[in-house]
Amino acid sequence: RHYQVKRTVHPTSGDTLSELLVQANFHNDRVACSNLRTPPVRVALSLRKHASAAGRVLTLLTIDYEAARPLPPDADRALHLRLDRATMIPVRYGNPTRATRNGASETMQYVVTAAQLREIVAAERTSARLTGRAGRCEFPISGQARGLIGMFTERELRPVDGREGL
């Protein structure tokens, strides 16, 4: 019941976009940020699959960060995923987007493969560290989130014509 993928098709290009929110931390004490005295307003993880009409597939792990102060995570290696004793560092895709209203809202995207997503699912304990110029935020990735990642990988990234989506 938590697996709610939002699917859209671009009217002119025919590209399809599938998005799934896997974890949203709202004012969660388990999210520790070095630049804040209290937990951030929100740190959310989403998966996004972009399939072009030509057959190319790109899979992105998206992180949305909202807090009173910005983190400015603009380094290529700003995201570290800890999987048991190993660390995975996905490559950033594009530039972070930022908005300021009643605080800071920042969105970063990272390219992930189906194999990397399976590693996240298989780990017994998984956490993330988002690093920026103003500090860092660390948070666990829940078992429920890993289950949703597994479902997304199985349902959305299954091989097509013998090729697995990136």
Side-chain angles (χ1 to χ4, degrees):
R1 74 177 182 192
H2 296 285
Y3 188 80
Q4 299 177 6
V5 174
K6 179 182 171 188
R7 291 182 177 80
T8 55
V9 178
H10 192 274
T12 55
S13 71
D15 291 2
T16 59
L17 188 66
S18 303
E19 295 179 89
L20 175 66
L21 175 66
V22 295
Q23 181 171 311
N25 297 296
F26 292 96
H27 299 284
N28 187 336
D29 290 331
R30 296 182 72 194
V31 181
C33 296
S34 65
N35 66 328
L36 303 170
R37 294 184 194 275
T38 61
V41 173
R42 180 174 72 102
V43 175
L45 296 175
S46 302
L47 286 171
R48 176 180 288 171
K49 173 187 158 190
H50 182 125
S52 72
R56 294 204 46 171
V57 175
L58 179 66
T59 306
L60 301 169
L61 176 64
T62 302
I63 299 183
D64 292 306
Y65 166 90
E66 289 181 41
R69 286 186 242 145
L71 193 58
D74 62 352
D76 283 340
R77 306 290 187 199
L79 178 65
H80 290 87
L81 299 172
R82 292 191 187 129
L83 314 174
D84 296 328
R85 294 186 189 115
T87 300
M88 179 187 300
I89 305 172
V91 177
R92 190 185 76 208
Y93 179 79
N95 293 316
T97 58
R98 295 183 178 99
T100 52
R101 279 175 268 184
N102 298 328
S105 176
E106 299 169 312
T107 300
M108 291 82 27
Q109 296 186 95
Y110 298 89
V111 176
V112 289
T113 64
Q116 288 173 319
L117 293 175
R118 282 192 287 275
E119 285 183 51
I120 292 168
V121 172
E124 287 186 35
R125 292 186 317 178
T126 306
S127 64
R129 180 193 305 159
L130 186 61
T131 305
R133 292 189 310 269
R136 68 178 183 272
C137 283
E138 297 190 38
F139 54 94
I141 298 175
S142 71
Q144 179 179 347
R146 290 194 316 271
L148 289 170
I149 291 169
M151 291 170 71
F152 187 89
T153 304
E154 181 181 301
R155 295 177 184 183
E156 309 299 326
L157 304 180
R158 65 181 164 255
V160 177
D161 299 330
R163 293 178 303 173
E164 206 168 58
L166 288 181

